[in-house]
Amino acid sequence: MNSLIIKNATISTPTGNSARKGAEMAALKTIPNGAIVVDNGIITYVGPQDSMPQISDSERYNVIDAGGRAVLPGFVDSHTHLIFGGYRPDEFEWRLKGDSYMSIMERGGGIQSTVNATRTEDVNSLVDKAQWFINRMSAMGITTVEAKSGYGLDTATELKMLEAIDRLATTPGQKLRIISTFLGAHAVPKEYKGRTGEYVDMMIKEMLPAVKGKAKFCDIFTEKNVFEIEDSRRFLKAAREAGFQLKLHADEIVTLGGAELAAELGAVSADHLLHVSDKGVADMAKAGVVATLLPLTAFTLKEPYAPARKFIDNGAAVALATDLNPGSCFSGSIPLTIALACIYMGMSIEETITALTLNGAAALDIAQSTGSLEPGKEADIIILNYENYRMLPYYVGMNCVSTVISRGTVVAQND
Ligand code: NIG
Ligand code: FE
């Protein structure tokens, strides 16, 4: 049943069909004693319960009494590496002893180690493993997740990863919406070591045509000693011509100009940005590129947090996401993301809610259809255990979401 009525709701939501920028991020619309009506998965009414339309065929509706508790849009996790072979707990321990993320990568571990495991893992096992994470992330209120390829780095395995994503996205009754991203430019594979330009040529000639139509976005790890600015520009331009919308892993480890490149090319988002320059911030704000910040990665790698305040105070749109992946950030925890954003990045609770809902949707170019509680949007809704959404960051790393509704259907009930 995907028609429902939520009564006695304390509703809070950002509003609009595009990213909220700068000071707009803190503006949530709140409706006390509210109600929401959903018909066939689409919101048809959000407003005071007193003014709710008369419903004659009420037996068609699943009626939920929120008991005055906080009702928000479902969370949008717009950056994950959900599909991967193997695990890398050994690297985690090496880093605890002082090794760095990039030095492990440079000696053939890191992303390449997951590539080796993903190439040999069968698609069913990749799907089952990802579903395990999806079930847990759904219970934390995630109603949309982005999933990247990028652990194949050869055409066959990149296609296998995108097939796994497609299978998950089209599983009947899937708990959340899945948006796919092609990340063949995640690293230079060992077969092309020292021949980055040739790998870029191969991706343009062989991979982009092969994955066309199987992913909405094309992403790249623009980083010193990985894909530097010239190679990134060349690849992203070809991807744009092939019909992909663009994303970048930008300025994660060093300041390289990834943010400026994202603005120049009109990318939908640039992500990470721990070491973004002031010009990068200004360029992204001007070009309307969403700054997707990933505090769980900074936390895991013991790196400085991305300058969220700088982005917001310069009028940019900030989204938050988990970056779940087996290397730099083995966590899909929305509660911890919220707590870190408030405690260490200076974001207000309202800004984090906008960043994880409407702005996350904008980072996936789906803000017209989800990310806020408004008539015409798909019914992705969460109910908290408390009347006040201020409990979200206060509950450090613990889940206080009670009910999760995805496209009009209750998919998680945490009691
Ligand atoms: O977003 N930095 C590049 N990519 C991932 C990490 C991938 C991995 O280590 O497996 C990230 O941090
Ligand atoms: Fe990432």
Side-chain angles (χ1 to χ4, degrees), residues 8-134:
N8 293 320
T10 305
I11 300 167
S12 296
T13 180
T15 55
N17 290 333
S18 58
R20 300 295 88 187
K21 297 172 180 166
E24 296 167 358
M25 282 187 64
L28 298 183
K29 179 175 176 185
T30 292
I31 306 166
N33 305 315
I36 299 178
V37 180
V38 174
D39 280 287
N40 297 319
I42 303 294
I43 298 173
T44 51
Y45 175 82
V46 181
Q49 191 163 312
D50 289 349
S51 327
M52 205 180 104
Q54 281 295 328
I55 307 247
S56 48
D57 51 348
S58 58
E59 64 289 344
R60 227 168 40 79
Y61 292 82
N62 176 9
V63 180
I64 299 174
D65 186 342
R69 290 172 302 159
V71 174
L72 305 174
F75 296 128
V76 178
D77 187 354
S78 63
H79 182 139
T80 84
H81 306 254
L82 186 61
I83 313 289
F84 55 87
Y87 296 95
R88 287 156 42 202
D90 44 355
E91 291 182 11
F92 184 83
E93 280 183 54
W94 298 340
R95 288 202 308 271
L96 293 182
K97 291 181 184 139
D99 240 332
S100 75
Y101 179 77
M102 285 311 275
S103 70
I104 294 170
M105 182 166 170
E106 272 150 25
R107 48 176 213 263
I111 293 170
Q112 182 65 53
S113 145
T114 299
V115 168
N116 299 341
T118 307
R119 285 179 179 176
T120 55
E121 200 157 317
D122 128 80
V123 67
N124 295 323
S125 143
L126 294 174
V127 166
D128 290 349
K129 203 153 121 186
Q131 186 66 53
W132 187 91
F133 285 98
I134 286 173

Side-chain angles (χ1 to χ4, degrees), residues 79 81 88 101 110-111 114 151 183 186 221 249 252 272 294 297 301 323 325-329:
H79 182 139
H81 306 254
R88 287 156 42 202
Y101 179 77
I111 293 170
T114 299
Y151 290 122
L183 179 57
H186 199 187
F221 188 16
H249 283 63
E252 178 181 357
H272 283 292
L294 310 162
T297 312
L301 294 180
D323 195 25
N325 74 74
S328 65
C329 178

